[in-house]
Amino acid sequence: MGNASTTDWVSVLRELGLKATPIRVELLALLSPDHRLLSVDEIHVALKKGVANRTTIYRSIQSFEEVGLIVSTELGDGIVRYELRHRSQKSPAHHHHHHLVCRVCHKVKVVEECVVGKVPKVIRDEGYSDLDHRLDFFGVCPRCQKAS
Ligand SMILES: [Zn+2]
Ligand SMILES: [Zn+2]
Ligand SMILES: [Zn+2]
């Protein structure tokens, strides 16, 4: 596991056959600390002014998604956000987790422990390789329960 300062994004990008442009490296560094779920607009705001426009950000995001470096998620508020995804156990980008989302305040809690365990037989029987899963839970958080 690496953190933002030790992850060598230039090597990760090259390993994946992507050109390690400064904007791509900056985007990945932006998404790497702890749990970051950012929309294209939020990335645009977070980057230094004039570094990249939305189209450039979106294209980089798409190239990351194509190689499985990041995934898009929509957690009930209609906004597509992106986050780093694990690629392999050895990858510095490894981060498998689940989300626990409040339907009222849209707060996202990270569930670090995988709650699925073994891949169910009904899925294994389909014969797919490189199986992965995504699972998000939605509910009303304790704070919002008290407020209602
Ligand atoms: Zn997440
Ligand atoms: Zn809530
Ligand atoms: Zn899991």
Side-chain angles (χ1 to χ4, degrees):
M1 295 281 293
N3 61 36
S5 53
T6 58
T7 303
D8 184 358
W9 289 118
V10 173
S11 304
V12 172
L13 286 168
R14 286 189 184 143
E15 204 182 292
L16 290 165
L18 291 176
K19 235 179 115 186
T21 60
I23 182 67
R24 281 179 175 162
V25 173
E26 202 167 330
L27 276 175
L28 291 170
L30 191 67
L31 286 164
S32 40
D34 299 327
H35 182 253
R36 281 276 177 89
L37 269 169
L38 296 172
S39 68
V40 167
D41 278 347
E42 286 161 349
I43 291 168
H44 188 242
V45 170
L47 288 175
K48 278 183 233 92
K49 251 203 156 69
V51 168
N53 59 32
R54 281 182 183 75
T55 311
T56 310
I57 294 165
Y58 189 68
R59 284 204 191 117
S60 299
I61 292 285
Q62 272 188 316
S63 64
F64 294 160
E65 234 186 331
E66 276 162 25
V67 296
L69 198 49
I70 62 169
V71 287
S72 61
T73 312
E74 194 279 307
L75 296 174
D77 61 0
I79 298 166
V80 177
R81 290 190 171 83
Y82 301 89
E83 66 177 329
L84 288 175
R85 168 188 185 267
H86 80 286
R87 294 185 297 120
S88 72
Q89 295 296 331
K90 278 169 246 130
S91 164
H94 174 82
H95 186 211
H96 180 83
H97 60 276
H98 301 267
H99 297 125
L100 179 55
V101 187
C102 177
R103 273 195 208 97
V104 181
C105 67
H106 298 294
K107 195 177 75 186
V108 179
K109 271 201 94 158
V110 182
V111 183
E112 296 285 355
E113 196 181 322
C114 184
V115 293
V116 173
K118 224 172 128 196
V119 179
K121 189 181 181 302
V122 65
I123 305 290
R124 284 201 316 270
D125 286 352
E126 296 288 337
Y128 283 51
S129 70
D130 294 318
L131 273 174
D132 192 13
H133 65 263
R134 290 165 65 179
L135 184 60
D136 301 320
F137 297 87
F138 294 86
V140 180
C141 76
R143 261 184 85 165
C144 290
Q145 287 174 45
K146 266 180 225 144
S148 66

